[in-house]
C-alpha cells in the first residue's frame, strides 16, 4: 500500500497540556508527499487534449470540490477515460497511487478502498494507462460506436446516423458521406470494415 500523505498539511489542533501528541503530528508531516507530475515523463508525453480531458474528468467527478476522489469516484473517473477496469486491476491502481486520509489514525493500516486520490496522483495514473493503451483496441471501440447495426461494416446508413447524432454546425451531405465511404471501401462492398477503418485511423495519425 502507498503510505503517501496528501498534498495538504495536517490540521494542527491547539490542545493545552497535550505535548504527547506533538511527536505524532510531526511524524505524520514527515511522511513522503504525494507524487507530483512535474517531472513525470509519461504525463508529459501524452497529448495535450488527453491532459485536458484527464483534468476535466477529475473536476467533474469531484463534485463537492474536496480536492480529492474517493475510491468510488476514482473508479468511475477511470471509466470515463475509457478504462473500465476489473476490480482487481482497479484496486491495484488505487493501491499504487492512493494516499492515506489525513485523519486516519493508523496510516500503516488503512484499507485500500479508503484511500484518497488527489489530482496529481490521478494524472500520473491516467497518463500511464493512456500511454499503454492499444491503438487497435481504441480504434475497435470507435468502430463499434459507428457501426450502429452491428453488422461489422460502417455503411452509408451508419454514417448518416452518426452525422445526425453529432449535430455539428455543418452536417455532412449524402454526397459527402457516399464519397467518403467509396474512398475507404477497397473492394466495393458498400461500407468500411474494421481493418479499413483501423488503416484510416493510422493514416490520420
Amino acid at each position: 500500500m502507498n503510505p503517501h500523505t496528501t498534498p495538504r498539511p495536517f490540521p494542527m489542533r491547539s490542545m493545552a497540556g497535550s505535548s504527547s501528541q506533538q511527536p505524532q503530528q510531526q511524524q505524520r508531516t514527515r511522511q513522503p508527499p504525494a507524487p507530483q507530475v512535474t517531472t513525470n515523463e509519461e504525463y508529459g508525453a501524452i497529448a495535450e487534449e488527453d491532459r485536458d480531458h484527464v483534468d476535466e474528468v477529475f473536476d467533474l467527478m469531484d463534485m463537492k470540490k474536496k480536492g480529492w476522489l474517493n475510491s468510488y469516484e476514482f473508479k468511475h473517473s477511470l471509466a470515463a477515460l475509457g478504462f473500465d477496469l476489473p476490480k482487481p486491476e482497479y484496486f491495484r491502481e488505487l493501491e499504487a497511487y492512493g494516499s492515506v486520509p489525513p485523519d486516519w489514525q493508523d496510516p500503516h493500516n488503512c484499507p485500500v478502498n479508503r484511500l484518497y486520490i488527489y489530482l496529481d496522483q490521478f494524472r500520473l495514473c491516467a497518463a500511464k494507462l493512456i500511454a499503454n493503451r492499444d491503438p487497435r483496441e481504441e480504434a475497435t471501440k470507435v468502430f463499434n460506436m459507428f457501426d450502429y447495426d452491428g453488422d461489422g461494416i460502417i455503411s452509408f446508413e451508419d454514417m448518416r446516423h452518426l452525422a445526425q447524432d453529432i449535430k455539428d454546425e455543418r452536417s455532412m451531405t449524402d454526397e459527402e458521406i457516399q464519397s467518403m465511404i467509396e474512398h475507404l471501401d477497397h473492394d466495393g462492398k458498400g461500407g468500411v470494415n474494421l481493418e479499413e477503418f483501423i488503416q484510416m485511423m493510422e493514416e490520420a495519425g
Side-chain angles (χ1 to χ4, degrees), residues 38-165:
T38 51
T39 59
N40 183 264
E41 294 181 0
E42 280 185 332
Y43 180 75
I46 65 175
E48 182 179 355
E49 62 185 56
D50 285 329
R51 294 197 296 268
D52 290 342
H53 190 202
V54 168
D55 287 0
E56 288 171 4
V57 168
F58 183 94
D59 186 63
L60 178 65
M61 292 298 176
D62 181 20
M63 290 183 291
K64 296 183 179 180
K65 306 310 172 193
K66 311 176 299 295
W68 48 266
L69 305 177
N70 61 29
S71 61
Y72 176 84
E73 293 164 337
F74 176 57
K75 178 177 177 60
H76 286 275
S77 296
L78 293 182
L81 292 174
F83 303 105
D84 194 5
L85 305 179
K87 189 172 182 179
E89 292 183 28
Y90 149 67
F91 264 73
R92 279 197 292 270
E93 298 299 328
L94 183 57
E95 187 174 21
Y97 294 96
S99 290
V100 177
D103 56 353
W104 198 265
Q105 292 185 355
D106 184 0
H108 300 288
N109 191 26
C110 178
V112 175
N113 64 352
R114 299 301 296 272
L115 296 175
Y116 288 172
I117 296 286
Y118 290 85
L119 177 58
D120 273 356
Q121 297 164 307
F122 184 67
R123 285 170 169 170
L124 289 171
C125 176
K128 184 203 72 174
L129 292 171
I130 290 171
N132 292 333
R133 66 187 172 190
D134 183 354
R136 287 183 64 89
E137 184 178 337
E138 295 300 309
T140 301
K141 290 179 182 178
V142 177
F143 179 88
N144 291 334
M145 289 173 58
F146 292 175
D147 182 15
Y148 285 87
D149 54 12
D151 63 354
I153 291 178
I154 298 177
S155 64
F156 174 84
E157 289 301 323
D158 289 329
M159 290 301 299
R160 202 180 205 184
H161 192 172
L162 175 65
Q164 292 173 351
D165 283 352

Side-chain angles (χ1 to χ4, degrees), residues 143 146 153-156 159 162 172 176-204:
F143 179 88
F146 292 175
I153 291 178
I154 298 177
S155 64
F156 174 84
M159 290 301 299
L162 175 65
M172 293 179 67
E176 288 173 325
I177 293 174
Q178 187 62 45
S179 176
M180 182 175 64
I181 288 178
E182 288 176 357
H183 174 71
L184 297 172
D185 180 9
H186 297 162
D187 52 12
K189 61 187 164 302
V192 180
N193 63 24
L194 177 59
E195 288 304 317
E196 291 167 341
F197 184 78
I198 290 176
Q199 181 180 351
M200 178 195 71
M201 296 285 283
E202 289 174 347
E203 290 174 354

